[in-house]
C-alpha cells in the first residue's frame, strides 16, 4: 500500500480518524513516542498492528482514551486509587493496568484479562481519539525490537508501505514510552515499565511503589508479560549494544582496550571534553537522555556502528526508564567496572 504522510492540521486529522474508523492503521504522535494506532475494539485492525510490527501476539497493547472517565467503558473495575492517580497524571505518560471487560478483545490484551489504559496529552493523538470516537491501541510505531520512533521520519522509515498513513506531529516530548503500573492493594502500586512518571512522583499519591523485578532482569521461563516492554529484547538497533557501569576514567580505559573499527560510544554531554574515542552524546541529565536515546540509537545504525559501548545512566528518577531501555537494547549485557 502507499503510506500517506499527513500534517497536524484538522483536515488531515479527520483523514487519520477516518482510517482508524475503517479498521486501518495510522502512525500517530504522542508525547512519549510515536504510536501505531488502531481501533482497540476491532480484532481485525489489531491483527494488522501485530503484522506491521512483526510483534509477538503475547505482547499486550495499551489502549488510549480521550478522558479517563471513558475507562469504565472498557474495564471491569477501577480502584479508587486509579481515580486519584488520574487526577494527578492524566492526561500524560502514565498507563494503568486494570481488569478488562468484553469490549477489549483478547488479542489487544495479549491474552491477558487485564488492559493498560492511558490518556495521552499530545494534542494530535488526543484529537484523533476524539474525532474517531474509538479507543486507540497504539504500541510504538517501529519494527518490533528496534528503537522506538520519536519522529514521523522514523515511522516512515520503518512502516512505509505497511500502514495507511503517518501523521507528522513533530518530535516526541519525552522520548521513552509511558510508565506502566498495576495495583497492589488499596494504596500501593507496582511499576511494570518505568517512564517519565517516576517512582518519586507516584509516592506523592501512593503509600508504596514497588519496582518490578522484570524492569532490570529477564522474565523467568513461562512468566507472562503484564506490560509491553517486559518480555522480549527491545529498543535495539542493528549495532551490538554493551552497557558499561563505572567512572568516566574506567569507561575510557575499557573502551580503549576493547575498541576497533566501527566501534562507537554513547556518553554523557559533560564527558565529551575528556573522551578520546569516537562517540555520540545523549544528554546531560536523565530527562535529556530519555529524550535523545532512541534517536541516537537510530543514528548509530545510520553511520554504520557495529558495536556501541554506552555509559550507564543513574537508576533513580527518569534515569530508571533510560536504564531499563538500555539494558533491554543490550540483551541484559552489562559490564561493571
Amino acid at each position: 500500500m502507499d503510506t500517506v504522510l499527513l500534517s497536524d492540521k484538522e483536515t488531515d486529522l479527520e483523514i487519520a480518524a477516518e482510517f482508524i474508523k475503517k479498521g486501518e492503521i495510522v502512525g500517530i504522535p504522542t508525547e512519549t513516542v510515536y504510536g501505531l494506532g488502531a481501533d482497540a475494539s476491532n480484532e481485525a485492525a489489531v491483527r494488522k498492528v501485530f503484522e506491521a510490527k512483526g510483534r509477538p501476539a503475547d505482547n499486550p497493547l495499551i489502549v488510549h482514551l480521550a478522558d479517563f472517565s471513558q475507562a469504565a467503558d472498557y474495564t471491569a473495575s477501577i480502584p479508587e486509587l486509579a481515580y486519584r492517580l488520574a487526577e494527578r497524571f492524566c492526561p500524560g505518560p502514565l498507563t494503568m493496568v486494570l481488569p478488562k471487560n468484553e469490549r477489549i478483545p483478547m488479542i489487544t490484551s495479549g491474552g491477558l484479562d487485564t488492559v493498560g489504559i492511558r490518556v495521552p496529552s499530545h494534542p494530535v493523538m488526543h484529537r484523533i481519539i476524539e474525532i474517531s470516537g474509538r479507543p486507540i491501541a497504539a504500541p510504538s510505531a517501529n519494527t518490533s525490537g528496534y528503537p522506538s520512533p520519536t519522529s514521523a521520519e522514523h515511522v516512515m522509515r520503518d512502516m512505509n508501505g505497511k500502514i495507511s498513513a503517518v501523521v507528522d506531529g513533530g518530535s516526541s516530548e519525552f522520548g521513552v514510552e509511558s510508565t506502566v503500573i498495576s495495583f497492589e492493594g488499596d494504596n500501593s502500586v507496582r511499576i511494570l515499565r518505568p517512564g517519565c512518571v517516576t517512582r518519586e512522583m507516584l509516592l506523592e499519591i501512593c503509600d508504596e511503589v514497588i519496582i518490578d523485578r522484570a524492569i532490570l532482569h529477564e522474565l523467568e521461563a513461562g512468566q507472562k508479560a503484564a506490560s509491553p516492554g517486559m518480555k522480549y529484547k527491545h529498543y535495539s538497533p542493528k549495532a551490538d549494544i554493551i552497557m558499561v557501569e563505572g567512572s568516566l576514567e574506567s569507561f575510557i580505559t575499557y573502551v580503549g582496550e576493547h575498541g576497533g573499527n566501527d566501534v562507537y560510544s554513547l556518553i554523557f554531554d559533560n564527558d565529551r571534553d575528556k573522551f578520546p574515542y569516537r562517540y555520540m552524546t545523549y544528554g546531560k541529565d536523565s530527562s535529556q537522555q530519555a529524550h535523545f536515546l532512541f534517536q541516537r540509537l537510530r543514528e548509530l545504525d545510520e553511520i554504520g556502528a557495529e558495536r556501541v559501548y554506552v555509559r550507564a545512566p543513574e537508576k533513580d528518577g527518569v534515569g530508571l526508564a533510560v536504564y531499563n531501555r538500555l539494558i533491554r537494547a543490550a540483551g541484559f549485557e552489562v559490564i561493571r567496572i
Side-chain angles (χ1 to χ4, degrees):
M1 68 176 71
D2 292 327
T3 299
V4 180
L5 183 61
L6 301 172
S7 74
D8 59 359
K9 297 184 184 304
E10 181 75 6
T11 52
D12 277 5
L13 300 190
E14 290 173 357
I15 293 171
E18 194 60 33
F19 278 128
I20 297 290
K21 288 192 284 187
K22 290 180 178 178
E24 299 301 325
I25 312 303
V26 179
I28 309 174
T30 82
E31 71 276 23
T32 56
V33 299
Y34 272 67
L36 206 56
D39 181 351
S41 63
N42 183 332
E43 286 192 39
V46 173
R47 288 187 191 282
K48 292 178 184 178
V49 171
F50 282 94
E51 291 167 5
K53 284 181 61 70
R55 183 184 179 98
D58 61 348
N59 202 0
L61 306 183
I62 292 169
V63 175
H64 297 72
L65 304 174
D67 189 271
F68 191 74
S69 63
Q70 297 171 337
D73 296 334
Y74 304 100
T75 58
S77 62
I78 303 175
E80 190 274 334
L81 177 57
Y83 287 106
R84 286 194 281 125
L85 289 168
E87 185 176 354
R88 171 70 170 80
F89 297 111
C90 295
L94 179 68
T95 295
M96 294 184 255
V97 176
L98 299 166
K100 77 176 190 69
N101 66 23
E102 68 283 354
R103 296 186 66 181
I104 298 297
M106 293 300 284
I107 187 172
T108 302
S109 65
L112 302 173
D113 58 5
T114 56
V115 61
I117 298 292
R118 183 164 101 81
V119 181
S121 63
H122 196 291
V124 169
M125 176 60 142
H126 200 272
R127 184 64 180 141
I128 291 173
I129 298 171
E130 287 181 330
I131 299 170
S132 69
R134 303 291 198 274
I136 294 184
S140 56
N142 58 304
T143 301
S144 188
Y146 198 59
S148 299
T150 56
S151 70
E153 179 185 0
H154 293 164
V155 183
M156 287 295 287
R157 198 172 301 164
D158 285 15
M159 292 291 151
N160 192 14
K162 298 179 181 179
I163 62 177
S164 295
V166 176
V167 181
D168 188 348
S171 296
S172 299
E173 177 185 358
F174 294 114
V176 293
E177 298 83 354
S178 63
T179 302
V180 180
I181 62 169
S182 60
F183 293 87
E184 299 271 329
D186 290 342
N187 207 36
S188 176
V189 299
R190 178 182 296 270
I191 297 180
L192 303 175
R193 182 181 72 186
C196 289
V197 174
T198 65
R199 177 178 182 272
E200 294 78 7
M201 294 164 70
L202 291 167
L203 280 170
E204 296 174 9
I205 309 295
C206 308
D207 289 339
E208 182 182 25
V209 177
I210 303 162
I211 303 295
D212 195 271
R213 184 182 183 278
I215 286 174
L216 298 177
H217 303 87
E218 293 183 85
L219 287 182
E220 298 175 5
Q223 187 177 355
K224 287 188 175 183
S227 162
M230 291 183 73
K231 188 169 186 179
Y232 299 96
K233 183 177 180 180
H234 280 282
Y235 321 114
S236 185
K238 297 172 185 175
D240 184 20
I241 300 296
I242 301 166
M243 191 154 58
V244 180
E245 292 185 353
S247 67
L248 175 59
E249 291 73 20
S250 60
F251 182 82
I252 291 171
T253 300
Y254 187 86
V255 172
E257 293 172 350
H258 297 83
N261 294 331
D262 303 317
V263 173
Y264 287 78
S265 295
L266 197 57
I267 62 175
F268 309 147
D269 284 10
N270 56 1
D271 296 341
R272 71 177 88 204
D273 292 339
K274 297 181 180 179
F275 196 75
Y277 307 111
R278 289 181 297 185
Y279 68 87
M280 284 187 182
T281 64
Y282 73 119
K284 65 180 180 181
D285 56 35
S286 57
S287 293
Q288 285 193 2
Q289 289 160 8
H291 180 79
F292 287 112
L293 176 62
F294 292 141
Q295 178 181 330
R296 293 292 185 262
L297 292 179
R298 285 174 174 265
E299 289 170 351
L300 285 160
D301 270 355
E302 291 172 10
I303 63 176
E306 293 186 1
R307 193 186 330 146
V308 180
Y309 294 108
V310 184
R311 280 210 73 196
E314 299 296 328
K315 288 185 255 186
D316 57 351
V318 180
L320 181 63
V322 182
Y323 193 100
N324 167 261
R325 303 320 191 263
L326 279 169
I327 200 172
R328 293 188 173 278
F332 295 92
E333 184 174 2
V334 180
I335 305 297
R336 294 180 174 89
I337 304 173

